[in-house]
Amino acid sequence: MDFMKLTELMGDLEEEAVLEMMNEVMADGGSQVSEAMRACQEGMNIVGDRFEAQEYFVSDLIFAGSLMSEAMDIIRPALLKKSEGNYGKMILCTVEGDLHDIGKNIVKSMLEASGFTVIDLGIDVKPEAILQTAKDEGIKIIALSGVLTLAINAMKKTVKAFKDSDIADDVKIIIGGAPVSAEVAQIVGADAWAINPNDTIKICKAWASA
Ligand code: B12
């Protein structure tokens, strides 16, 4: 499989050819599904670069979003490693001001397949709403997603809301998404950070088992 070609086709928003390649990836049961996901994500970076260069417009971003979702739907069954465990409930959402949810939805599917019951609060979620749900449902693990640079500030606000609350000692918060790094995690005050959904699963499982 030529993954550079897949990245290129994704960047060019060639829907038919992209979906054909995704189906090819699944032909052997999906042994190269992680490589395919990475290639698609790199294609989204090309879309982003062209948007910044004003070669693409918001309508292209919208189309890219639905193409990425369609592509992920094809490989999703192979992406999910079923686990027998039951790790309880956790919250996942995209933070306030950010409407991007494709990455969040991938992380959600993978967490669910790993044995978590994910309460998905959706996109553009205010800190108060996350805190209230955590209190109402007795949640101890919160995963925050963000793709925009401004999501960093919203994550910081969310972590602060928890730190200032009476459940501060009971809750662990992990942040993830494109702008997240060790440095960002420190600024935000999160307990952990990840870009790779598999790392997220490992961290959340360790927290749930503690
Ligand atoms: C598709 C897209 C959209 C779609 C989103 C559709 C949807 N349902 O999500 C729409 C059209 C809505 C959109 C809107 C906008 N977008 Co946009 N968008 C994109 C694009 C092209 C792809 C995003 C994507 O889905 N990537 C694929 C997914 C799979 O990757 P991911 O989100 O990073 O997720 C992975 C990891 O990060 C991680 N992960 C994700 N979440 C989590 C959570 C946890 C806990 C963990 C551990 C891991 C994790 O796992 C995932 C799988 O590996 C990006 C370009 C890019 N480089 O990504 C721009 C991009 C993010 N958008 C951008 C911009 C500017 C906008 C707009 C402001 C445009 C405008 N003028 O209106 C608006 C903002 C709306 C808002 N308030 O949020 C900029 C952001 C710049 C910045 N640094 O802030 C980008 C980078 C493009 C660019 N280069 O300019 N966008």
Side-chain angles (χ1 to χ4, degrees):
M1 171 69 57
D2 184 351
F3 290 109
M4 267 158 76
K5 181 81 196 160
L6 177 56
T7 296
E8 220 176 89
L9 289 169
M10 204 59 171
D12 291 342
L13 300 175
E14 290 288 347
E15 184 178 24
E16 214 172 298
V18 166
L19 299 182
E20 206 176 282
M21 282 189 89
M22 298 315 277
N23 283 315
E24 270 173 45
V25 167
M26 290 302 282
D28 73 344
S31 63
Q32 290 189 297
V33 81
S34 301
E35 290 85 345
M37 186 167 91
R38 207 167 315 127
C40 288
Q41 250 176 285
E42 280 162 17
M44 287 294 107
N45 291 339
I46 296 176
V47 173
D49 291 346
R50 290 185 184 166
F51 174 73
E52 275 180 56
Q54 296 182 358
E55 289 165 35
Y56 280 177
F57 303 98
V58 173
S59 56
D60 298 304
L61 285 188
I62 296 170
F63 183 75
S66 67
L67 177 55
M68 182 75 187
S69 295
E70 272 184 278
M72 290 304 109
D73 284 347
I74 295 174
I75 61 169
R76 200 178 300 267
L79 210 53
L80 307 182
K81 292 190 199 89
K82 285 269 176 238
S83 138
E84 295 296 306
N86 178 1
Y87 292 96
K89 287 195 266 188
M90 62 179 285
I91 290 175
L92 171 69
C93 66
T94 302
V95 293
E96 186 174 18
D98 197 330
L99 306 178
H100 295 80
D101 66 356
I102 298 169
K104 168 185 76 64
N105 292 341
I106 294 172
V107 174
K108 178 186 177 185
S109 303
M110 293 175 76
L111 283 166
E112 284 180 340
S114 304
F116 286 93
T117 302
V118 178
I119 300 179
D120 181 357
L121 296 179
I123 54 175
D124 187 16
V125 188
K126 289 194 166 41
E128 304 76 47
I130 306 171
L131 180 60
Q132 195 56 52
T133 307
K135 285 183 178 180
D136 293 347
E137 302 275 343
I139 304 290
K140 300 200 168 4
I141 302 176
I142 320 281
L144 302 176
S145 176
V147 172
L148 298 175
T149 308
L150 66 78
I152 296 171
N153 203 33
M155 286 173 171
K156 194 173 169 188
K157 248 176 79 184
T158 307
V159 170
K160 186 173 185 311
F162 274 91
K163 291 221 163 116
D164 291 346
S165 78
D166 53 357
I167 58 166
D169 295 337
D170 306 330
V171 173
K172 294 271 193 203
I173 302 181
I174 180 166
I175 58 170
V180 168
S181 62
E183 198 192 342
V184 165
Q186 210 179 2
I187 294 167
V188 166
D191 298 294
W193 68 281
I195 296 285
N196 182 337
N198 284 320
D199 295 340
T200 317
I201 291 162
K202 267 186 228 149
I203 293 165
C204 292
K205 275 186 178 174
W207 284 346
S209 311

